[in-house]
Amino acid sequence: MIRLSKSVVGRAESAAVAHVIEDIGYLGMGATVGAFEHQLEQYIGGGRHAICVNSGTAALHLAVQAVTKPGDEVLVPSFTFVATYQAITAAGCKPVSCDIRPDTLTLDLKDAERRITSRTTAMMPVYYASNCCMAKAYQAFAAEHGLRLVEDAAHCFGCSVEGQKIGSTGDVVCFSFDGIKNITTGEGGAIFTADEEVIEKVSDARLLGVQKDSEKRYTGQRSWQFDVVEQGYRYHMSNIFAAIGQVQLARFEKEFAPRRREIAQRYCELLSDTPHVKLTPMDYAHDIVPHIFALQILDGKRPLLEQRLKEQDIQYGIQYAPNHHLTLFHEDVELPVTEEVYKRIISLPMHPEVSEADIQQICNIINSL
Ligand SMILES: Cc1ncc(COP(=O)(O)O)c(C=O)c1O
């Protein structure tokens, strides 16, 4: 079987977890989380502060809660994982479904602009398939319209725009470190921001709203007498997760990123002349470290491709069912690009252990449809 995605972890991650269990002896949030956050800040740069939590969804939820108030409207592309929407409604806000651009498959600002009302206070673009080339445009749009910007960069760890890492600029940026992301902590996520108020709010909210507890936890202490002024959650990261993350971060630039880039470039080389394939152009040589590899299959041939892939035991993804189709978020809204892309999109195996033979087998199937 060729797997769609995979955690690439091994002895080094096991040893790091064993160190937490056997030597440190404290599995909750402590010094290892503090050290991982510091390493993330060094890696991403821009003087941003990193706050680690136990999922990407938790990162998005706390970020939205920190920059909005219940009842606010948040502009978001319907074409995203349901986590993006759940984070908005968890914060008591209303997701306002927007269309995507056909060239980037990310939020279309012209469409978003039409949907702004007096209640719109934030925008949440999603860097689908790691495509972050619009980051500066989203930041400029948010500034122009007085909106807070929460970037869903779950797919984008390690990607850059104009030489700056995603997370090093902008308002609030969220990553996911779930089992199959560019780096994993098992489950996990992080919020990057330079906004002191957001740093304080999300640091407290991840620890049940207990004020100023993070720094104490990093030195093995905690507050016994404290106040709570805002809704909080048990969203903090554990030392075990952080220990895995430290090893993954150390392996990322040398091992994971080059292989992911190479795989995407090989897919592009082998599929670029295929008439029934539409690729999304991306700078895999420099800016982009792809989390997924998604392409559009034209001429109604996707069902046939799905059948052929199943016959050869090759996993694929359909990412994502638009959120406005789901019962909870259902809306009669016209999103023509989203509807069309959803019929054509398919994700091919993408993880550092996909081999050249795998790529050739997959591309042969696509090219012979
Ligand atoms: C676009 C997007 N946003 C948010 C998330 C949520 O991240 P997590 O699974 O770590 O909660 C994901 C996870 O796959 C995602 O793909």
Side-chain angles (χ1 to χ4, degrees):
M1 187 214 277
I2 304 178
R3 287 174 57 168
L4 175 64
S5 49
K6 194 171 183 291
S7 307
V8 180
V9 286
R11 282 179 197 279
E13 286 82 358
S14 301
V17 170
H19 174 64
V20 172
I21 295 172
E22 294 170 21
D23 306 326
I24 296 177
Y26 181 66
L27 315 189
M29 184 172 127
T32 316
V33 175
F36 181 46
E37 286 176 341
H38 184 66
Q39 286 157 352
L40 287 169
E41 287 162 3
Q42 301 289 308
Y43 175 71
I44 295 290
R48 292 316 206 244
H49 199 87
I51 302 113
C52 282
V53 288
N54 57 13
S55 73
T57 311
L60 292 170
H61 176 191
L62 296 187
V64 178
Q65 180 173 294
V67 300
T68 60
K69 53 187 189 325
D72 286 0
E73 293 180 1
V74 180
L75 303 168
V76 62
S78 179
F79 189 63
T80 182
F81 188 46
V82 66
T84 321
Y85 270 59
Q86 291 281 27
I88 296 171
T89 53
C93 296
K94 180 177 183 294
V96 175
S97 298
C98 300
D99 212 351
I100 49 170
R101 293 166 58 109
D103 55 347
T104 62
L105 309 188
T106 62
L107 186 72
D108 179 342
L109 287 174
K110 284 213 177 74
D111 186 73
E113 191 166 29
R114 279 195 290 272
R115 299 180 196 278
I116 293 178
T117 73
S118 57
R119 289 179 300 281
T120 313
T121 58
M123 183 166 85
M124 243 167 119
V126 177
Y127 298 134
Y128 177 78
S130 314
N131 196 349
C132 52
C133 66
M134 292 285 294
K136 299 275 176 201
Y138 295 140
Q139 290 167 6
F141 180 93
E144 184 191 332
H145 291 274
L147 303 176
R148 297 305 298 258
L149 186 70
V150 177
E151 298 170 44
D152 181 342
H155 294 192
C156 244
F157 187 80
C159 298
S160 307
V161 159
E162 294 167 19
Q164 290 173 307
K165 284 248 151 41
I166 291 292
S168 69
T169 64
D171 190 0
V172 188
V173 182
C174 298
F175 293 107
S176 160
F177 305 138
D178 80 18
I180 58 168
K181 290 298 192 298
N182 284 1
I183 64 165
T184 184
T185 56
E187 295 287 354
I191 298 151
F192 279 77
T193 185
D195 182 318
E196 293 294 336
E197 200 183 324
V198 174
I199 293 167
E200 194 176 315
K201 279 187 173 188
V202 300
S203 300
D204 293 350
R206 72 174 165 174
L207 284 162
L208 294 167
V210 175
Q211 288 187 315
K212 300 190 189 331
D213 211 20
S214 287
E215 289 302 325
K216 290 187 190 129
R217 298 251 178 172
Y218 299 149
T219 57
Q221 301 163 43
R222 59 189 283 190
S223 309
W224 294 113
Q225 286 173 316
F226 53 79
D227 196 14
V228 170
V229 295
E230 280 196 51
Q231 177 66 54
Y233 309 88
R234 206 162 161 78
Y235 278 172
H236 57 276
M237 181 176 272
S238 88
N239 275 348
I240 290 200
F241 287 14
I244 296 171
Q246 286 182 304
V247 176
Q248 289 269 303
L249 184 59
R251 295 175 68 182
F252 179 69
E253 281 292 337
K254 277 206 176 111
E255 221 182 308
F256 303 147
R259 187 61 199 140
R260 283 183 177 273
R261 292 178 195 277
E262 232 167 57
I263 294 164
Q265 285 171 306
R266 284 297 288 147
Y267 276 135
C268 291
E269 279 163 24
L270 296 177
L271 297 171
S272 60
D273 293 333
T274 310
H276 53 269
V277 165
K278 184 173 179 200
L279 299 169
T280 303
M282 274 190 253
D283 184 2
Y284 294 115
H286 304 101
D287 291 346
I288 306 297
V289 182
H291 157 53
I292 62 172
F293 188 85
L295 69 163
Q296 295 176 65
I297 302 294
L298 311 180
D299 308 332
K301 290 186 177 187
R302 191 184 72 184
L304 181 60
L305 174 58
E306 290 184 61
Q307 187 191 322
R308 297 268 159 84
L309 291 171
K310 278 182 198 152
E311 283 162 9
Q312 298 200 28
D313 219 6
I314 299 167
Q315 291 185 337
Y316 61 87
I318 306 290
Q319 290 166 297
Y320 296 98
N323 283 274
H324 72 282
H325 289 188
L326 306 176
T327 304
L328 182 61
F329 304 119
H330 191 269
E331 255 182 293
D332 280 325
V333 56
E334 271 190 40
L335 305 174
V337 181
T338 301
E339 305 295 354
E340 196 53 36
V341 168
Y342 177 50
K343 286 186 212 141
R344 301 165 165 181
I345 203 82
I346 191 160
S347 319
L348 304 180
M350 169 56 78
H351 55 81
E353 292 180 0
V354 173
S355 70
E356 173 62 22
D358 296 339
I359 297 169
Q360 288 193 15
Q361 185 185 348
I362 293 161
C363 292
N364 284 341
I365 296 172
I366 297 172
N367 288 333
S368 63
L369 286 177

